[in-house]
Amino acid sequence: MSTNRWVARLRRRTASHAGAGLLNAKVTTPVTLLTVTLGYALGGSVSAAITGFLTFLSCLAVSVANALVQYLRAGTLQETSGPPQASSVLPAVAPATDVAVDGDDTFWNALTSAERHALIARARGHRYRREDVLCHEGGAAGEVIVILSGWTRVWVQEGAEQRIVAFRGAGELVGERAALMVRDRSATVTAESDVQALRIEAHDFGAFLDGNPRVRAILERQVYRRQIERRDPGELFQGAQGNCSILITDITGFSSPVRTDADRDFVRDAMYDLMGEAFTASGLDLSRLYQEDRGDGALVIVPPTTPTEAVVDPMLAHLAAELRRHNRRAAEATRLQLRAALHVGPVQRGPKGVSGISIITTRRMVDAPAVKRRVAETGADLAFVASGFVFDTVITPAPGLVDPGRYSRVRVRVKETSLSAWLMLEGGKSRLQAV
């Protein structure tokens, strides 16, 4: 650009921003001329006039500098302003570069600048206040949400309790089941603090993925990582990634009024002692496995490196025998009837514990009304529920002390869960019939 054109442009900028600064030509010119006149009139000398003229030049220089600053500021604002919808949401996260980092931890940060803008074009910004619900368990999965700032908790309802399964923060995706064409929510998501987010309709997000195959690959990898925990060497889940064996136990009638708090402590301690002995019979050390106490039961996670068969045989046979011995000597208040469920699936380990849909499924198996009803009818010492996968791959081959003929199909219907499982009763008045 030539000097004349630059000066002309500067003049236009200066005129458009006249009056925006502290000093401008409309103010400084008459003030300076007045200063010259008064200086000459009062001083009556040429030196006073010269002083006034120099003052005029200095004020003029300040005006030009002020105009230049206004020009540069206007140019900078014009260059950094983006699409209107982006300006309200993008400041919440770090800006993307033109080169994506596939190994980044979050969905949003793994996108390139172009991919972000393409997603924003299909989205609408939304601000959730603390305790606002982003989506409900069992509700329709109609949209995908990208968290830009703040924290959310993911939880499921288990009876009268709320079980937290994960926390999601800036850059993470909520509701990816909608993108995978799963039409129901597996959990409720609630804002832990003020949350700024992008909301995208499921069909729009699907179209976005169709136009960006690289992003689809990112989504698939991150969904997989949510299901399978990656552990550092020396931590609990060592060895190759894969499906864990999940065992959940529940003491029947734990809160019964015939028990005192001392009775409950005794029964819970007895459960852990008997489980420890039964696991030892299978060559497993219960103390070295991940455990969570559930008050009236326990959650035990067996890593993928340990065959599920070891959790079944001969562990179950020993546990049933020990429960029979315990109950023969126990009073009513310290009798130990145990329901247990075994499933296999991916488990995610986070800062507040383990989570995953496989754990939720196992819990619902042990709480199935049909199982509780059969325990009440038979007075069984042990009610063991196996998922279809465990029954087909571990119990049907009938290793060791396992007898598939002792199992009958049972229907698990809890909340939105409806599936077939296999139930075996040990002790009590009669053998199990199909239910």
Side-chain angles (χ1 to χ4, degrees), residues 138-169:
E143 67 179 11
V144 177
I145 301 172
V146 181
I147 301 172
L148 299 179
S149 66
W151 282 94
T152 64
R153 68 180 181 273
V154 184
W155 56 275
V156 296
Q157 192 74 37
E158 294 184 350
E161 299 180 355
Q162 294 181 2
R163 170 71 175 162
I164 296 176
V165 297
F167 289 87
R168 302 281 181 242

Side-chain angles (χ1 to χ4, degrees), residues 28-105:
T28 57
T29 299
V31 170
T32 304
L33 292 176
L34 179 60
T35 303
V36 172
T37 303
L38 289 176
Y40 185 80
L42 296 175
S45 66
V46 177
S47 62
I50 294 174
T51 301
F53 182 71
L54 292 176
T55 303
F56 168 77
L57 291 180
S58 64
C59 290
L60 182 61
V62 171
S63 297
V64 173
N66 185 61
L68 180 61
V69 169
Q70 295 294 335
Y71 167 78
L72 294 176
R73 287 180 60 192
T76 301
L77 290 173
Q78 184 179 25
E79 291 171 2
T80 57
S81 63
Q85 69 270 27
S87 61
S88 64
V89 293
L90 286 179
V93 294
T97 62
D98 290 331
V99 179
V101 182
D102 286 347
D104 207 323
D105 290 334

Side-chain angles (χ1 to χ4, degrees), residues 1-13 71:
M1 179 182 293
S2 67
T3 303
N4 292 337
R5 291 177 61 191
W6 187 88
V7 172
R9 186 176 179 182
L10 176 59
R11 286 175 178 170
R12 290 194 299 271
R13 288 285 186 179
Y71 167 78

Side-chain angles (χ1 to χ4, degrees), residues 122 144 178-179 181 200-211 216:
R122 297 178 177 273
V144 177
M181 304 306 291
I200 310 101
E201 295 295 332
H203 60 85
D204 285 333
F205 192 80
F208 168 72
L209 294 179
D210 291 340
R216 182 180 293 276

Side-chain angles (χ1 to χ4, degrees), residues 157-220:
Q157 192 74 37
E158 294 184 350
E161 299 180 355
Q162 294 181 2
R163 170 71 175 162
I164 296 176
V165 297
F167 289 87
R168 302 281 181 242
E172 295 192 85
L173 204 61
V174 172
E176 67 276 5
R177 290 169 66 88
L180 301 176
M181 304 306 291
V182 179
R183 292 310 180 192
D184 65 300
R185 300 293 191 190
S186 60
T188 300
V189 181
T190 305
E192 282 281 288
S193 60
D194 285 357
V195 172
Q196 197 168 347
L198 291 176
R199 299 172 63 182
I200 310 101
E201 295 295 332
H203 60 85
D204 285 333
F205 192 80
F208 168 72
L209 294 179
D210 291 340
N212 297 271
R214 196 190 73 86
V215 180
R216 182 180 293 276
I218 292 173
L219 175 64
E220 291 173 351

Side-chain angles (χ1 to χ4, degrees), residues 315-356:
M315 193 277 288
L316 285 178
H318 282 265
L319 181 59
E322 290 158 4
L323 283 168
R324 283 195 297 271
R325 285 196 294 269
H326 170 89
N327 288 333
R328 279 201 301 267
R329 299 189 296 266
E332 181 183 2
T334 57
R335 177 176 170 78
L336 179 53
Q337 287 180 286
L338 198 65
R339 302 193 315 277
L342 181 64
H343 186 34
V344 173
V347 173
Q348 180 180 1
R349 177 75 188 272
K352 297 183 180 294
V354 294
S355 63

Side-chain angles (χ1 to χ4, degrees), residues 243-266:
N243 293 322
C244 299
S245 300
I246 304 163
L247 179 71
I248 293 182
T249 65
D250 188 280
I251 300 172
T252 299
F254 185 76
S255 59
S256 170
V258 303
R259 302 188 200 267
T260 65
D261 286 343
D263 293 332
R264 296 184 184 94
D265 289 340
F266 177 84

